[in-house]
Short mmCIF file of all heavy atoms in Angstrom, two decimals:
data_model
loop_
_atom_site.label_atom_id
_atom_site.label_comp_id
_atom_site.label_asym_id
_atom_site.label_seq_id
_atom_site.Cartn_x
_atom_site.Cartn_y
_atom_site.Cartn_z
N MET H 1 0.84 -1.17 0.00
CA MET H 1 0.00 0.00 0.00
C MET H 1 0.90 1.25 0.00
O MET H 1 1.92 1.28 0.64
CB MET H 1 -0.91 0.01 1.23
CG MET H 1 -1.85 1.18 1.17
SD MET H 1 -2.78 1.58 2.66
CE MET H 1 -3.72 0.15 2.99
N THR H 2 0.46 2.29 -0.71
CA THR H 2 1.20 3.54 -0.80
C THR H 2 0.53 4.60 0.06
O THR H 2 -0.69 4.76 0.03
CB THR H 2 1.25 4.04 -2.25
OG1 THR H 2 1.84 3.03 -3.06
CG2 THR H 2 2.06 5.30 -2.37
N THR H 3 1.32 5.33 0.82
CA THR H 3 0.80 6.42 1.64
C THR H 3 1.13 7.74 0.98
O THR H 3 2.26 7.97 0.55
CB THR H 3 1.43 6.39 3.05
OG1 THR H 3 1.17 5.12 3.62
CG2 THR H 3 0.87 7.47 3.92
N VAL H 4 0.15 8.62 0.88
CA VAL H 4 0.33 9.93 0.29
C VAL H 4 0.24 10.98 1.39
O VAL H 4 -0.67 10.96 2.20
CB VAL H 4 -0.75 10.22 -0.79
CG1 VAL H 4 -0.58 11.61 -1.35
CG2 VAL H 4 -0.69 9.17 -1.87
N THR H 5 1.22 11.88 1.41
CA THR H 5 1.24 12.95 2.40
C THR H 5 1.17 14.28 1.67
O THR H 5 1.93 14.53 0.73
CB THR H 5 2.53 12.90 3.23
OG1 THR H 5 2.63 11.62 3.83
CG2 THR H 5 2.53 13.96 4.30
N ALA H 6 0.26 15.15 2.08
CA ALA H 6 0.11 16.46 1.45
C ALA H 6 1.30 17.34 1.81
O ALA H 6 1.82 17.28 2.92
CB ALA H 6 -1.18 17.12 1.90
N LYS H 7 1.71 18.18 0.87
CA LYS H 7 2.79 19.14 1.11
C LYS H 7 2.24 20.29 1.91
O LYS H 7 1.22 20.88 1.56
CB LYS H 7 3.34 19.63 -0.24
CG LYS H 7 4.21 20.87 -0.18
CD LYS H 7 5.52 20.62 0.46
CE LYS H 7 6.41 21.88 0.36
NZ LYS H 7 7.23 22.06 1.51
N ARG H 8 2.88 20.64 3.00
CA ARG H 8 2.52 21.79 3.82
C ARG H 8 3.53 22.89 3.52
O ARG H 8 4.73 22.67 3.59
CB ARG H 8 2.57 21.46 5.31
CG ARG H 8 1.66 20.34 5.72
CD ARG H 8 0.24 20.82 5.83
NE ARG H 8 -0.61 19.70 6.26
CZ ARG H 8 -1.79 19.86 6.74
NH1 ARG H 8 -2.32 21.04 6.87
NH2 ARG H 8 -2.49 18.82 7.09
N PHE H 9 3.04 24.05 3.14
CA PHE H 9 3.90 25.17 2.77
C PHE H 9 4.12 26.08 3.97
O PHE H 9 3.21 26.33 4.75
CB PHE H 9 3.28 25.98 1.63
CG PHE H 9 3.23 25.24 0.33
CD1 PHE H 9 2.10 24.52 -0.03
CD2 PHE H 9 4.30 25.27 -0.54
CE1 PHE H 9 2.05 23.84 -1.23
CE2 PHE H 9 4.26 24.58 -1.75
CZ PHE H 9 3.13 23.88 -2.09
N SER H 10 5.33 26.62 4.07
CA SER H 10 5.60 27.64 5.08
C SER H 10 5.19 28.99 4.51
O SER H 10 4.94 29.13 3.30
CB SER H 10 7.09 27.66 5.43
OG SER H 10 7.84 28.13 4.32
N ILE H 11 5.13 30.00 5.36
CA ILE H 11 4.80 31.34 4.89
C ILE H 11 5.84 31.82 3.89
O ILE H 11 5.50 32.41 2.86
CB ILE H 11 4.67 32.32 6.08
CG1 ILE H 11 3.47 31.92 6.93
CG2 ILE H 11 4.53 33.76 5.59
CD1 ILE H 11 3.36 32.67 8.24
N ALA H 12 7.11 31.54 4.16
CA ALA H 12 8.19 31.95 3.24
C ALA H 12 8.02 31.28 1.87
O ALA H 12 8.20 31.92 0.83
CB ALA H 12 9.55 31.60 3.84
N GLU H 13 7.67 30.00 1.86
CA GLU H 13 7.46 29.29 0.59
C GLU H 13 6.27 29.87 -0.16
O GLU H 13 6.31 30.02 -1.38
CB GLU H 13 7.24 27.79 0.85
CG GLU H 13 8.47 27.07 1.32
CD GLU H 13 8.19 25.65 1.76
OE1 GLU H 13 7.13 25.40 2.39
OE2 GLU H 13 9.05 24.79 1.49
N TYR H 14 5.21 30.19 0.56
CA TYR H 14 4.01 30.79 -0.04
C TYR H 14 4.35 32.12 -0.71
O TYR H 14 3.98 32.35 -1.86
CB TYR H 14 2.95 30.97 1.05
CG TYR H 14 1.73 31.74 0.65
CD1 TYR H 14 0.77 31.18 -0.18
CD2 TYR H 14 1.52 33.04 1.12
CE1 TYR H 14 -0.38 31.89 -0.53
CE2 TYR H 14 0.38 33.75 0.78
CZ TYR H 14 -0.56 33.16 -0.04
OH TYR H 14 -1.68 33.87 -0.39
N HIS H 15 5.09 32.96 -0.02
CA HIS H 15 5.48 34.25 -0.59
C HIS H 15 6.41 34.05 -1.79
O HIS H 15 6.30 34.77 -2.79
CB HIS H 15 6.16 35.13 0.46
CG HIS H 15 5.19 35.69 1.45
ND1 HIS H 15 4.30 36.68 1.15
CD2 HIS H 15 4.97 35.38 2.75
CE1 HIS H 15 3.56 36.97 2.22
NE2 HIS H 15 3.95 36.18 3.20
N ARG H 16 7.28 33.07 -1.72
CA ARG H 16 8.19 32.79 -2.84
C ARG H 16 7.41 32.32 -4.06
O ARG H 16 7.73 32.70 -5.19
CB ARG H 16 9.23 31.75 -2.42
CG ARG H 16 10.27 31.47 -3.45
CD ARG H 16 11.17 32.66 -3.69
NE ARG H 16 12.17 32.30 -4.68
CZ ARG H 16 12.61 33.11 -5.61
NH1 ARG H 16 12.20 34.35 -5.66
NH2 ARG H 16 13.51 32.71 -6.48
N LEU H 17 6.39 31.51 -3.88
CA LEU H 17 5.56 31.07 -5.00
C LEU H 17 4.92 32.28 -5.69
O LEU H 17 4.84 32.33 -6.91
CB LEU H 17 4.47 30.10 -4.52
CG LEU H 17 4.94 28.72 -4.09
CD1 LEU H 17 3.78 27.94 -3.45
CD2 LEU H 17 5.51 27.94 -5.26
N GLY H 18 4.46 33.24 -4.89
CA GLY H 18 3.89 34.46 -5.45
C GLY H 18 4.92 35.25 -6.24
O GLY H 18 4.63 35.74 -7.34
N GLU H 19 6.13 35.38 -5.71
CA GLU H 19 7.21 36.09 -6.40
C GLU H 19 7.55 35.44 -7.73
O GLU H 19 7.90 36.12 -8.69
CB GLU H 19 8.46 36.14 -5.52
CG GLU H 19 8.33 37.00 -4.29
CD GLU H 19 9.50 36.83 -3.33
OE1 GLU H 19 10.43 36.05 -3.64
OE2 GLU H 19 9.47 37.47 -2.26
N LEU H 20 7.47 34.12 -7.78
CA LEU H 20 7.81 33.37 -8.99
C LEU H 20 6.69 33.36 -10.01
O LEU H 20 6.84 32.81 -11.10
CB LEU H 20 8.20 31.93 -8.63
CG LEU H 20 9.48 31.77 -7.81
CD1 LEU H 20 9.64 30.33 -7.36
CD2 LEU H 20 10.69 32.22 -8.63
N GLY H 21 5.53 33.95 -9.65
CA GLY H 21 4.41 34.00 -10.59
C GLY H 21 3.59 32.73 -10.62
O GLY H 21 2.89 32.46 -11.60
N PHE H 22 3.67 31.95 -9.58
CA PHE H 22 2.91 30.70 -9.51
C PHE H 22 1.41 30.96 -9.53
O PHE H 22 0.64 30.16 -10.06
CB PHE H 22 3.31 29.94 -8.25
CG PHE H 22 2.75 28.55 -8.15
CD1 PHE H 22 3.35 27.50 -8.83
CD2 PHE H 22 1.62 28.29 -7.40
CE1 PHE H 22 2.84 26.22 -8.74
CE2 PHE H 22 1.10 27.01 -7.31
CZ PHE H 22 1.72 25.98 -7.98
N PHE H 23 0.98 32.08 -8.96
CA PHE H 23 -0.44 32.44 -8.93
C PHE H 23 -0.68 33.56 -9.93
O PHE H 23 0.13 34.48 -10.04
CB PHE H 23 -0.84 32.95 -7.54
CG PHE H 23 -0.34 32.09 -6.41
CD1 PHE H 23 0.52 32.61 -5.46
CD2 PHE H 23 -0.72 30.77 -6.30
CE1 PHE H 23 0.99 31.84 -4.40
CE2 PHE H 23 -0.25 29.98 -5.25
CZ PHE H 23 0.61 30.51 -4.31
N SER H 24 -1.80 33.51 -10.64
CA SER H 24 -2.14 34.60 -11.55
C SER H 24 -2.69 35.77 -10.73
O SER H 24 -3.23 35.57 -9.64
CB SER H 24 -3.15 34.15 -12.61
OG SER H 24 -4.38 33.88 -12.03
N PRO H 25 -2.55 36.99 -11.24
CA PRO H 25 -2.99 38.18 -10.49
C PRO H 25 -4.48 38.17 -10.10
O PRO H 25 -4.85 38.75 -9.09
CB PRO H 25 -2.69 39.33 -11.44
CG PRO H 25 -1.65 38.82 -12.35
CD PRO H 25 -1.92 37.35 -12.49
N ASP H 26 -5.31 37.50 -10.89
CA ASP H 26 -6.75 37.49 -10.59
C ASP H 26 -7.18 36.33 -9.70
O ASP H 26 -8.35 36.21 -9.35
CB ASP H 26 -7.57 37.50 -11.88
CG ASP H 26 -7.27 36.31 -12.77
OD1 ASP H 26 -6.19 35.72 -12.64
OD2 ASP H 26 -8.12 35.97 -13.61
N GLU H 27 -6.23 35.46 -9.30
CA GLU H 27 -6.55 34.35 -8.41
C GLU H 27 -6.55 34.83 -6.96
O GLU H 27 -5.73 35.64 -6.56
CB GLU H 27 -5.51 33.24 -8.52
CG GLU H 27 -5.68 32.33 -9.69
CD GLU H 27 -4.67 31.20 -9.66
OE1 GLU H 27 -3.47 31.47 -9.56
OE2 GLU H 27 -5.12 30.05 -9.75
N ARG H 28 -7.47 34.30 -6.19
CA ARG H 28 -7.49 34.57 -4.75
C ARG H 28 -7.03 33.29 -4.05
O ARG H 28 -7.72 32.27 -4.08
CB ARG H 28 -8.89 34.95 -4.30
CG ARG H 28 -8.92 35.32 -2.85
CD ARG H 28 -10.23 35.96 -2.45
NE ARG H 28 -10.23 36.07 -1.00
CZ ARG H 28 -11.30 35.90 -0.25
NH1 ARG H 28 -12.46 35.65 -0.81
NH2 ARG H 28 -11.22 35.98 1.05
N VAL H 29 -5.84 33.37 -3.48
CA VAL H 29 -5.23 32.20 -2.85
C VAL H 29 -4.82 32.57 -1.43
O VAL H 29 -4.26 33.63 -1.20
CB VAL H 29 -3.98 31.74 -3.63
CG1 VAL H 29 -3.39 30.48 -3.02
CG2 VAL H 29 -4.29 31.51 -5.09
N GLU H 30 -5.12 31.68 -0.49
CA GLU H 30 -4.72 31.89 0.89
C GLU H 30 -3.97 30.66 1.38
O GLU H 30 -4.20 29.55 0.91
CB GLU H 30 -5.94 32.12 1.79
CG GLU H 30 -6.64 33.42 1.53
CD GLU H 30 -7.78 33.68 2.51
OE1 GLU H 30 -7.80 33.04 3.59
OE2 GLU H 30 -8.63 34.51 2.20
N LEU H 31 -3.10 30.89 2.34
CA LEU H 31 -2.38 29.80 3.00
C LEU H 31 -3.04 29.58 4.35
O LEU H 31 -3.02 30.45 5.22
CB LEU H 31 -0.91 30.18 3.18
CG LEU H 31 -0.02 29.12 3.81
CD1 LEU H 31 0.12 27.92 2.89
CD2 LEU H 31 1.34 29.71 4.15
N ILE H 32 -3.65 28.41 4.51
CA ILE H 32 -4.35 28.09 5.75
C ILE H 32 -3.79 26.79 6.31
O ILE H 32 -3.89 25.74 5.66
CB ILE H 32 -5.87 27.97 5.54
CG1 ILE H 32 -6.43 29.28 4.99
CG2 ILE H 32 -6.57 27.56 6.83
CD1 ILE H 32 -7.89 29.24 4.63
N ARG H 33 -3.16 26.89 7.47
CA ARG H 33 -2.54 25.73 8.12
C ARG H 33 -1.61 24.97 7.18
O ARG H 33 -1.59 23.74 7.15
CB ARG H 33 -3.59 24.79 8.70
CG ARG H 33 -4.35 25.38 9.83
CD ARG H 33 -5.25 24.34 10.50
NE ARG H 33 -6.35 25.02 11.15
CZ ARG H 33 -7.59 25.02 10.70
NH1 ARG H 33 -7.91 24.35 9.64
NH2 ARG H 33 -8.52 25.69 11.34
N GLY H 34 -0.87 25.71 6.35
CA GLY H 34 0.10 25.11 5.45
C GLY H 34 -0.45 24.64 4.12
O GLY H 34 0.28 24.17 3.27
N GLU H 35 -1.76 24.75 3.93
CA GLU H 35 -2.39 24.31 2.68
C GLU H 35 -2.82 25.50 1.85
O GLU H 35 -3.35 26.48 2.38
CB GLU H 35 -3.60 23.43 2.98
CG GLU H 35 -3.25 22.15 3.69
CD GLU H 35 -4.47 21.28 3.97
OE1 GLU H 35 -5.57 21.60 3.50
OE2 GLU H 35 -4.29 20.27 4.67
N LEU H 36 -2.62 25.42 0.55
CA LEU H 36 -3.07 26.47 -0.37
C LEU H 36 -4.56 26.30 -0.59
O LEU H 36 -5.03 25.22 -0.95
CB LEU H 36 -2.33 26.37 -1.70
CG LEU H 36 -0.82 26.61 -1.64
CD1 LEU H 36 -0.21 26.39 -3.01
CD2 LEU H 36 -0.50 27.98 -1.11
N THR H 37 -5.30 27.37 -0.40
CA THR H 37 -6.75 27.37 -0.58
C THR H 37 -7.10 28.36 -1.67
O THR H 37 -6.76 29.53 -1.57
CB THR H 37 -7.46 27.75 0.74
OG1 THR H 37 -7.04 26.85 1.76
CG2 THR H 37 -8.97 27.66 0.57
N TYR H 38 -7.75 27.87 -2.73
CA TYR H 38 -8.14 28.70 -3.86
C TYR H 38 -9.62 29.03 -3.75
O TYR H 38 -10.43 28.18 -3.44
CB TYR H 38 -7.90 27.96 -5.18
CG TYR H 38 -6.45 27.76 -5.51
CD1 TYR H 38 -5.71 26.73 -4.97
CD2 TYR H 38 -5.81 28.62 -6.40
CE1 TYR H 38 -4.37 26.55 -5.29
CE2 TYR H 38 -4.48 28.47 -6.72
CZ TYR H 38 -3.77 27.41 -6.16
OH TYR H 38 -2.46 27.24 -6.48
N TYR H 39 -9.95 30.28 -4.02
CA TYR H 39 -11.35 30.72 -4.01
C TYR H 39 -11.76 31.08 -5.43
O TYR H 39 -11.03 31.75 -6.13
CB TYR H 39 -11.52 31.94 -3.10
CG TYR H 39 -11.24 31.63 -1.66
CD1 TYR H 39 -9.98 31.82 -1.11
CD2 TYR H 39 -12.25 31.12 -0.84
CE1 TYR H 39 -9.72 31.51 0.22
CE2 TYR H 39 -12.00 30.83 0.49
CZ TYR H 39 -10.74 31.02 1.00
OH TYR H 39 -10.48 30.73 2.31
N GLN H 40 -12.92 30.63 -5.84
CA GLN H 40 -13.43 30.90 -7.18
C GLN H 40 -14.71 31.71 -7.08
O GLN H 40 -15.47 31.59 -6.13
CB GLN H 40 -13.71 29.61 -7.92
CG GLN H 40 -12.48 28.78 -8.15
CD GLN H 40 -12.81 27.48 -8.88
OE1 GLN H 40 -13.97 27.17 -9.13
NE2 GLN H 40 -11.80 26.73 -9.21
N GLY H 41 -14.93 32.53 -8.08
CA GLY H 41 -16.18 33.27 -8.17
C GLY H 41 -16.30 34.42 -7.20
O GLY H 41 -17.40 34.83 -6.87
N CYS H 42 -15.19 34.94 -6.73
CA CYS H 42 -15.26 36.06 -5.78
C CYS H 42 -15.09 37.37 -6.51
O CYS H 42 -14.42 37.53 -7.42
CB CYS H 42 -14.16 35.93 -4.74
SG CYS H 42 -14.39 34.52 -3.67
#
């Protein structure tokens, strides 16, 4: 059996993803307890 573990991001990693253009300017993304949360239709 294979176990899958979700990646938990630090605040520094989250900010670095933004600097690298990982998120588009119109996306609403939050870091909650290490997980990236995307909001649609806002």
Side-chain angles (χ1 to χ4, degrees):
M1 184 192 300
T2 303
T3 303
V4 178
T5 303
K7 165 70 174 145
R8 301 282 181 163
F9 292 93
S10 68
I11 294 171
E13 290 171 322
Y14 172 74
H15 286 288
R16 184 67 178 142
L17 289 171
E19 291 170 1
L20 294 172
F22 188 81
F23 314 119
S24 68
D26 59 337
E27 279 184 307
R28 184 169 171 217
V29 183
E30 292 185 18
L31 182 67
I32 301 175
R33 293 188 205 106
E35 296 180 7
L36 296 176
T37 304
Y38 291 82
Y39 295 93
Q40 296 179 356
C42 293

